[in-house]
């Protein structure tokens, strides 16, 4: 099941740079792990903003929520979620 | 180059059903043609709404604009466009 | 899987009253059928508005979308959907 | 009498973790007490956000207000309240 | 129990004047009846707009909803409802 | 002359509790003094929020402004003001 | 007493031109009459829009409302009103 | 050339009172100087808010910008600017 | 003097195509005339929308307003205007 | 390929002035370098605000994003991006 998840990241100006780098590294590692597992199907950067548009492929709302809660940068994020489903015009078999 | 394009479709209640079916059929045909051509990379239905989230893969802003202008349902649409680019965490080679 | 679905109904002033009554009757019948089937778990009226707050219990985003598309009053509605999941404080077993 | 209450929780990044855990534990205990008392009829997590959608069942606006004021996390919350009432299509006897 | 109810009235430019006068007369009659009954405790005109701010005094959300549904001008209205309760600073005994 | 004044109070989480209690006490005292003087005609709590809806009865915009400026909690408030006047349907003599 | 009144005028595309010219002429005549009477102290056009920013000088909210209700173009207007008062920095004696 | 300039002033709660008084005095002095010079044609207080509505009379956008940049309270302000011009109904010769 | 002018064009679905083509042709002719005169310095299409972002170079607010009023498509437009001035970082001499 | 980029700059009141001057100098230097390179085609100041409207001329979304990320003031900015393309009425050859 697919969800559009938009994440805007807001880092306080005075946040500890070293700590932030750790969080970013952990975020990247987890994101890539979830991408390899097929959960985090797409992640694109929104040009000009510290934000991304992602497509998650999960079994349930709960799984989506649990995944997002584990993101190291979750506390810095404004997140908007929209449930998606197959479009009648789509030619892609797996674009459920 | 990727763009997120969100299309909300608003059909007047008293619109001619037969004419609408023609437009929808033409829209589907053109959409599938563009998907096969790789221009319209993804199209998902937003659950609960007559709207879609799409990812277009085009050479320029102008090409994106020209494609969207040819959509039979364009006059019925509220469209929002966001330019995307590769996310540093993405593991997908072609997710430019 | 639970979804909050908020439906605002906007009927044009000059809409054919008889036709509207038919649609409302059909809407009520379908709603009650879906409630009995456990799909439409809750429906409440928002005091002072021609709108409802509903909780749907479905297997997937697609099922939610398909159900909402069949509602006779769908063309008159502004719909907002939010995916829900079990709250860690909930004491209700089935409040998945 | 039912009310939809939506609570968005905003915890400052630098808030004392230990103090926060105490507050969260107290919040959960009070919430479950109110759920058992039938006052807090439903609480669901909004997928992807530190927010919940709740249905309260109280005798009056004042009772609702007093209950919400006692929530340990109240100072961290943006709260939106909508008064609900029985929907003519509802099949649930107690869904006043 | 008190509710703030704000009503913005939008009359189409081409609406039948005679019919509108009937509706307005019926609206005024019903409003005054409800005011005498103590249900519609206050009604003020918002300066510069075809809108009012009202305070209703009812037993429940349902009663509020039913009253508002009977207003002849209901179909022309955008309505916003906020539940009120006694303010700790209020010196008025009956300002529940 | 009547004005609707809506006051949302936002207290920083780390504000000195003792100082806040003083301010609240002073606010209550001044509010009740103005109520007794007939200037602050109504004050209701908005259920679920640290906010009130008030009706002021003053001689001019300037008097309203000066009164609001003297409120001890003014610096913590988001205030919205709407000028009111007698509604043609009102049955209350003094609801100018 | 001064009020800022902002008026956005929305004329339907298919409105009878001759009738509109009559309304505009009547609006201009009444506006100039009120300006000469000192009630309509200022009227400026917002560059690029069919809208104006005006300053009214009236005795009460009610007088403001009554004046605005008499404007021939009132039914075509979105109006926003803000009560003004003398600014402590103002050097103009009559800029109450 | 006239511009409507709306200034909302937001002073942090913990800002140094003495420093603020200096800034306010400097702001008042500069404002009155510009008023005497005819640049700052009108300044009114918005009742109930730490905000003003002003009309500036300047030779160009650049002059407006430079003037506003010199305001001691500029860093505390949210400013909205709308270019104005003579209204066809205006009877005031100098209300360019 | 430069102004950013954003124009969203909304054509009713049932508008007479022939009449619209005439208006569009007249709009294009006038636009190009103003561009050649240096008044309409830039006009760009917003990708995906029937809207443009333009930069006007005029002597005054009034001239801007008068020009925009003459646009054949003005009645179909939502227009937003922002006054611009030279940026301290600009290297372009004439980018007043 | 052209993009409209709007940048609102928000500097905390207590930010180190010396450090800010360094950042501003670096921002100006980089901006002028990009302007000379033809990437940053236009930059205008929005009158009355610490904000600019810019037109970027880049090869791709990615190039736009990378450029904006290098701006020393990026962390202080709210940025909005709109992809532009040649308007059919434009007389400028290079206004792609």
């Amino acid at each position: 099941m697919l969800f559009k998840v938009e994440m805007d990241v807001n880092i306080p100006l005075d946040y500890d740079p070293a700590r932030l780098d750790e969080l970013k590294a952990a975020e990247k590692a987890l994101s890539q792990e979830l991408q390899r597992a097929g959960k985090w199907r797409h992640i694109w950067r929104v040009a000009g903003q510290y934000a991304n548009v992602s497509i998650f492929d999960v079994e349930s709302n709960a799984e989506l929520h649990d995944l997002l809660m584990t993101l190291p940068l979750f506390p810095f994020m404004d997140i908007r979620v929209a449930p998606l489903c197959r479009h009648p015009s789509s030619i892609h078999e797996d674009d459920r």
Side-chain angles (χ1 to χ4, degrees), chain A residues 1 3 5 7 30 34 56 58-71 74 79 81:
Chain A
M1 223 170 39
F3 290 86
V5 179
M7 308 177 204
L30 179 57
L34 292 172
F56 277 75
V58 290
E59 297 307 312
S60 66
N61 300 348
E63 185 186 1
L64 176 65
H65 183 70
D66 296 342
L67 288 182
L68 294 174
M69 287 297 122
T70 61
L71 295 181
F74 177 81
I79 290 183
V81 172

Side-chain angles (χ1 to χ4, degrees), chain A residues 7-16 19-24 27 50-51 68 71-79:
Chain A
M7 308 177 204
D8 301 346
V9 182
N10 308 294
I11 307 288
L13 288 170
D14 57 0
Y15 198 79
D16 168 17
R19 175 63 186 140
L20 183 57
D21 287 342
E22 282 171 35
L23 288 171
K24 286 185 176 179
E27 179 88 8
Y50 193 174
L68 294 174
L71 295 181
L73 291 180
F74 177 81
F76 301 86
M77 289 180 179
D78 285 327
I79 290 183

Side-chain angles (χ1 to χ4, degrees), chain A residues 24-56:
Chain A
K24 286 185 176 179
E27 179 88 8
K28 181 167 184 174
L30 179 57
S31 167
Q32 297 193 327
E33 184 190 316
L34 292 172
Q35 291 180 61
R36 281 189 293 273
K39 296 297 181 183
W40 198 328
R41 188 184 266 217
H42 296 285
I43 179 170
W44 295 289
R45 174 65 82 216
V46 177
Q49 306 193 351
Y50 193 174
N52 73 60
V53 172
S54 289
I55 305 293
F56 277 75

Side-chain angles (χ1 to χ4, degrees), chain A residues 1-4 37-39 41-42 55-60 82-88 90-96:
Chain A
M1 223 170 39
L2 303 188
F3 290 86
K4 179 188 73 165
K39 296 297 181 183
R41 188 184 266 217
H42 296 285
I55 305 293
F56 277 75
D57 187 354
V58 290
E59 297 307 312
S60 66
L84 304 178
C85 47
R86 187 178 179 72
H87 191 283
S90 177
I91 64 170
H92 304 288
E93 275 321 307
D94 66 343
D95 239 357
R96 292 156 289 95

